[in-house]
Amino acid sequence: MGRQPVESTLALLSSANRTGRWQAKGVTQATALLGTCTIDLREAEIDGDHLLVRASAVLGAIHVIVNERTDVDLTGTALLGSIKDRRKSTEATVAGGPDVRVEAFALCGSVTVANEPIPRAAERSSIDEVAESVAEERPLLHQGAAPDGTTTVLFSDIEGFTAMNDRLGDHQAFEVLKTHNQIVRDEVEAYGGFEVKSQGDGFMVAFSSARQALLCAIAIQKALAARSGGEPVRVRMGLHTGEAIKDADDFFGRNVIFAARIADQAEGGEILVSSLVKELTESGGEFRFENGREVALKGLSGTGKVYSLEWGEAP
């Protein structure tokens, strides 16, 4: 049996797309390193009854798009990343159609199989990816829960990290990310937090104390601001407190998403908190909050009131 032909598509600090009418045969290799790669098979001429797609996303994203009639076998390994099947139906609707096997590897990145492309304006942030993975996996949060079962959740990511990748070379962009991630992890450990999930530049951290969560957020911002030289790193943060132990369905279904949406509303260098976090921490006079603002939180009905924590002169 002869060796199968291999078609390669590489997205390195950029985007690379294989779309429209093209011939797909044997093996298609897609690699996204700090970039986004799209393999659109809807109009592709698949040679034979089988096609293997090897998708490797390292700090990047790969979208594999197939017709609804195409049978897809999705397998793989995700390390601090995600592998998602977003097809409308996971059952092939036409007998005799081509079989596609997707072997995915996601290291701080994502591989997605879908029937439609993701509009650029609708692409999700690292915070969205982390929040969705946590909502599906529902990890145990006892390490980050207070005796009464409440947990304060912190979400964060780097503002404009994709644009930063466009300005920097491969090595420098990765060094910036490593430095950021190490700072976050050092402060989380120092303030007794529990790293629930991280993906690329996005983090979800749980704390048993709202006060400790705010102190940690402040420490991270100060440590990043104190970095000398190099690319400025401005981090967005959002925090919310909810009942994690007794009502896990509501916690993962709403509270986690609520905290993530607050972080999405933050500007780089800003710490935004829910009204509940503010109520839990303001009585001692240790923290100062700016006037609240009503914001629409994507995917949730109504609006929510959020407050910006002043951290420049905070403890």
Side-chain angles (χ1 to χ4, degrees), residues 65-305:
I65 307 170
V66 299
N67 287 316
E68 292 184 37
R69 66 178 181 274
T70 302
D71 188 18
V72 178
D73 178 20
L74 175 61
T75 63
T77 301
L79 302 174
L80 301 177
S82 65
I83 298 172
K84 304 289 185 183
D85 190 342
R86 300 187 181 283
R87 290 176 295 156
K88 297 175 182 177
S89 172
T90 57
E91 297 181 2
T93 57
V94 177
D99 295 334
V100 175
R101 178 178 174 84
V102 179
E103 296 180 353
F105 174 71
L107 174 60
C108 297
S110 64
V111 176
T112 304
V113 177
N115 296 133
E116 297 176 349
I118 300 175
R120 190 165 185 82
E123 288 183 0
R124 294 165 298 165
S125 66
S126 299
I127 290 171
D128 294 326
E129 291 282 357
V130 171
E132 183 173 305
S133 294
V134 169
E136 291 183 0
E137 296 167 8
R138 301 196 172 197
L140 294 175
L141 296 178
H142 291 81
Q143 289 178 262
D148 64 359
T150 58
T151 295
T152 298
V153 174
L154 181 154
F155 277 95
S156 73
D157 73 357
I158 299 175
E159 181 184 57
F161 186 60
T162 301
M164 183 188 297
N165 288 339
D166 294 337
R167 297 193 305 271
L168 304 177
D170 183 9
H171 177 72
Q172 189 177 354
F174 188 64
E175 288 301 315
V176 169
L177 183 66
K178 283 202 307 181
T179 299
H180 161 267
N181 289 3
Q182 191 59 56
I183 287 173
V184 172
R185 291 190 170 110
D186 287 348
E187 300 301 343
V188 167
E189 181 179 2
Y191 287 93
F194 169 60
E195 181 182 326
V196 180
K197 183 83 173 180
S198 64
Q199 183 167 319
D201 61 308
F203 278 82
M204 174 183 165
V205 183
F207 295 86
S208 60
S209 161
R211 175 180 179 271
Q212 290 297 105
L214 293 191
L215 290 174
C216 181
I218 290 169
I220 291 170
Q221 294 287 16
K222 286 187 172 183
L224 290 169
R227 290 172 61 247
S228 58
E231 184 76 11
V233 177
R234 292 169 54 80
V235 168
R236 308 182 303 159
M237 292 183 170
L239 296 95
H240 179 56
T241 299
E243 171 61 70
I245 305 303
K246 296 179 181 177
D247 195 353
D249 288 341
D250 184 63
F251 183 79
F252 288 108
R254 177 173 176 80
N255 290 306
V256 166
I257 300 302
F258 193 64
R261 295 299 173 257
I262 292 173
D264 279 333
Q265 290 289 331
E267 302 289 337
E270 185 176 33
I271 303 170
L272 274 186
V273 307
S274 67
S275 57
L276 179 55
V277 172
K278 176 176 178 290
E279 291 172 8
L280 291 171
T281 57
E282 67 179 343
S283 60
E286 189 176 12
F287 303 104
R288 296 174 58 188
F289 301 91
E290 296 180 3
N291 293 332
R293 63 182 188 261
E294 291 284 343
V295 296
L297 301 175
K298 182 176 65 175
L300 299 173
S301 60
T303 61
K305 195 160 189 177

Side-chain angles (χ1 to χ4, degrees), residues 23-53:
Q23 189 172 35
K25 56 183 179 180
V27 180
T28 292
Q29 174 70 53
T31 305
L33 176 58
L34 294 168
T36 301
C37 182
T38 299
I39 303 297
D40 191 340
L41 297 172
R42 292 175 299 174
E43 297 182 23
E45 298 177 3
I46 298 179
D47 187 10
D49 297 329
H50 307 282
L51 176 69
L52 173 61
V53 178

